[in-house]
Amino acid sequence: MSTEPDFLPYGRQLIEADDIDAVVEVLRSDYLTTGPTIGRFETALAEAVEAEWAVAVTSGTAALHAACDAVGIEVGDEVIVPAISFVASANCVRYLGGEPVFVDVDPDTGLIDVEDVKAKLSPRTKAIVPVHMTGAVADVDALSALGRPIIQDAAHALGAKVPCTGLATWSFHPVKHVCTGEGGAITGVDPAQERRLRAFRNHGLVRDPEHLRHPSPGPWYYEQQFLGHNLRMTDLSAALGVSQLAKLGRFVDRRRALAARYGQLLQDVPQVQTVASSAYHLYVVQIDFEALGRGRAELMAYLRDRGIGTQVHYIPIPMQPYYQDRDADAASFPGALRWYQRSLSLPLFPAMDDSDVDRVVDHLMRWLEN
Ligand SMILES: *Cc1c(COP(=O)(O)O)cnc(C)c1O
């Protein structure tokens, strides 16, 4: 990109001229929402992730909410959620009155600990939500063998090979692989779940004559068969999504190449452990700040002063006051705490140059040597 050392955020979108043209084309068309571009986006996404179908919604959070409905989560149901994720992975269960049951993660990968899932399974467990943290793929096969519906939170994993088990949810927030402004989708294989999701995103309305409860009196007729929401993606977003999805291969390749460069430059730095991923939504390094006797906040401020943005993914969800009020005990997730204490996400997005990686590593090493 430019030779000026611009501020490097930890992640950002890459919007090109044809992306802009695609959105403008929709603006000049008849349908700004619920138009033909939604179907095009859904077809392209289903193809990209090798699912039977995709249902586009307004965000990754909406996708998780709808997926919880589609597997039948109701008041009092338990859903297993890893202690390390974005809060949306747990909140989606609460929207339906269910209770997230947190499980620990591997401190080196941030991925769900299958043994802890087995330990916390109960007759009330209605689903499991593995998170493909950073774009590394969780052990979905082992979880699926436990006999509960699986909702894969795949917000980090577009471009990774995610199994076609149960439902998968995606986010198209600007820091993710493919951007639609705000946006999300659910993908899957079961046609009954697809029908339920399409109704859920539109108030619970059903129009298909084959699935009406009462005889149709005429072409205006529809039925609200359950309580849904308005989670409809706009055609503006879908147009951006179609244009961006066509670039997914290039975007993921670039992320992997940048990650490989980080890995090479950091391999002989004893204080830094790198975290392997597949899709590389995030480039996480782990540093034992306690052993160093220096704080992560100090490093983040040092890098920020030099034009480098970093972030921590994530604060364990059981540490959030909302979940502490619901009796979550953060201390009982040692893997999650260890992951949290050591992790730092370095800048990673497809518009970065190799020299940006070099600059980040250079400043990181200077801080470590000081
Ligand atoms: C981004 C993200 C979400 C939520 O997606 P939004 O589109 O921001 O609502 C959920 N889970 C994980 C793991 C995410 O990274």
Side-chain angles (χ1 to χ4, degrees):
M1 282 210 311
S2 68
T3 48
E4 288 277 291
D6 295 321
F7 186 80
L8 281 176
Y10 85 83
R12 64 158 293 161
Q13 71 279 12
L14 172 52
I15 301 293
E16 296 166 321
D18 57 340
D19 298 316
I20 294 168
D21 293 345
V23 176
V24 170
E25 197 180 313
V26 168
L27 274 171
R28 295 188 201 284
S29 78
D30 291 338
Y31 294 98
L32 299 189
T33 189
T34 320
T37 317
I38 298 295
R40 284 176 52 211
F41 178 57
E42 290 176 336
T43 303
L45 179 65
E47 203 170 298
V49 308
E50 295 177 23
E52 288 297 316
W53 47 260
V55 175
V57 291
T58 45
S59 68
T61 304
L64 284 161
H65 181 189
C68 281
D69 169 80
V71 301
I73 302 308
E74 290 179 356
V75 175
D77 288 345
E78 292 180 355
V79 177
I80 289 184
V81 177
I84 291 290
S85 186
F86 184 52
V87 291
S89 310
N91 290 347
C92 58
V93 180
R94 294 291 308 130
Y95 296 149
L96 295 160
E99 208 53 64
V101 171
F102 295 108
V103 295
D104 211 356
V105 302
D106 181 320
D108 299 323
T109 64
L111 294 173
I112 191 165
D113 176 341
V114 177
E115 291 311 308
D116 201 30
V117 174
K118 288 179 189 163
K120 291 188 176 145
L121 220 54
S122 94
R124 286 167 63 204
T125 308
K126 288 292 158 57
I128 303 171
V129 182
V131 177
H132 299 309
M133 188 64 198
T134 77
V137 180
D139 191 351
V140 174
D141 289 346
L143 295 171
S144 166
L146 303 175
R148 303 298 198 286
I150 302 288
I151 299 170
Q152 305 178 52
D153 183 340
H156 295 187
L158 196 55
K161 193 135 183 56
V162 163
C164 273
T165 304
L167 297 170
T169 66
W170 309 89
S171 166
F172 311 112
H173 179 279
V175 297
K176 306 287 163 64
H177 290 75
V178 156
C179 166
T180 64
E182 296 278 1
I186 311 94
T187 56
V189 294
D190 176 354
Q193 283 183 327
E194 180 190 8
R195 267 202 312 282
R196 175 79 186 191
L197 288 161
R198 290 192 182 286
F200 187 79
R201 79 167 168 195
N202 192 26
H203 307 278
L205 298 187
V206 174
R207 288 174 193 275
D208 181 356
E210 226 182 288
H211 294 104
L212 294 173
R213 291 214 200 137
H214 305 296
S216 171
W220 67 87
Y221 189 69
Y222 55 83
E223 289 177 351
Q224 185 192 343
Q225 297 186 344
F226 63 96
L227 186 63
H229 295 261
N230 176 354
L231 305 179
R232 299 186 306 261
M233 179 184 270
T234 69
D235 282 52
L236 302 172
S237 292
L240 187 51
V242 171
S243 181
Q244 289 257 299
L245 262 182
K247 307 172 183 190
L248 177 60
R250 166 162 59 99
F251 285 179
V252 174
D253 285 350
R254 186 64 196 141
R255 284 175 177 276
R256 287 177 175 153
L258 292 163
R261 190 172 185 91
Y262 268 127
Q264 218 165 24
L265 295 172
L266 289 168
Q267 67 184 351
D268 298 323
V269 183
Q271 304 97 321
V272 177
Q273 274 76 55
T274 60
V275 176
S277 179
S278 171
Y280 280 103
H281 161 55
L282 297 174
Y283 193 79
V284 175
V285 292
Q286 298 201 313
I287 297 170
D288 190 341
F289 293 98
E290 221 170 359
L292 274 184
R294 298 169 75 191
R296 180 168 49 189
E298 181 199 314
L299 171 58
M300 289 178 78
Y302 178 93
L303 293 173
R304 173 156 285 273
D305 287 346
R306 285 151 187 83
I308 296 163
T310 55
Q311 189 49 279
V312 175
H313 297 94
Y314 295 95
I315 303 166
I317 306 175
M319 283 176 70
Q320 295 297 344
Y322 173 76
Y323 286 104
Q324 298 208 312
D325 289 348
R326 306 190 67 79
D327 289 337
D329 175 21
S332 49
F333 305 98
L337 287 174
R338 194 169 154 71
W339 167 273
Y340 169 54
Q341 281 156 0
R342 296 182 306 156
S343 292
L344 189 68
S345 300
L346 302 181
L348 184 70
F349 52 91
M352 276 171 67
D353 284 336
D354 289 357
S355 66
D356 292 326
V357 172
D358 300 355
R359 180 156 69 92
V360 173
V361 172
D362 193 45
H363 286 302
L364 173 60
M365 284 173 47
R366 274 193 234 175
W367 183 82
L368 287 167
E369 283 157 14
N370 263 322

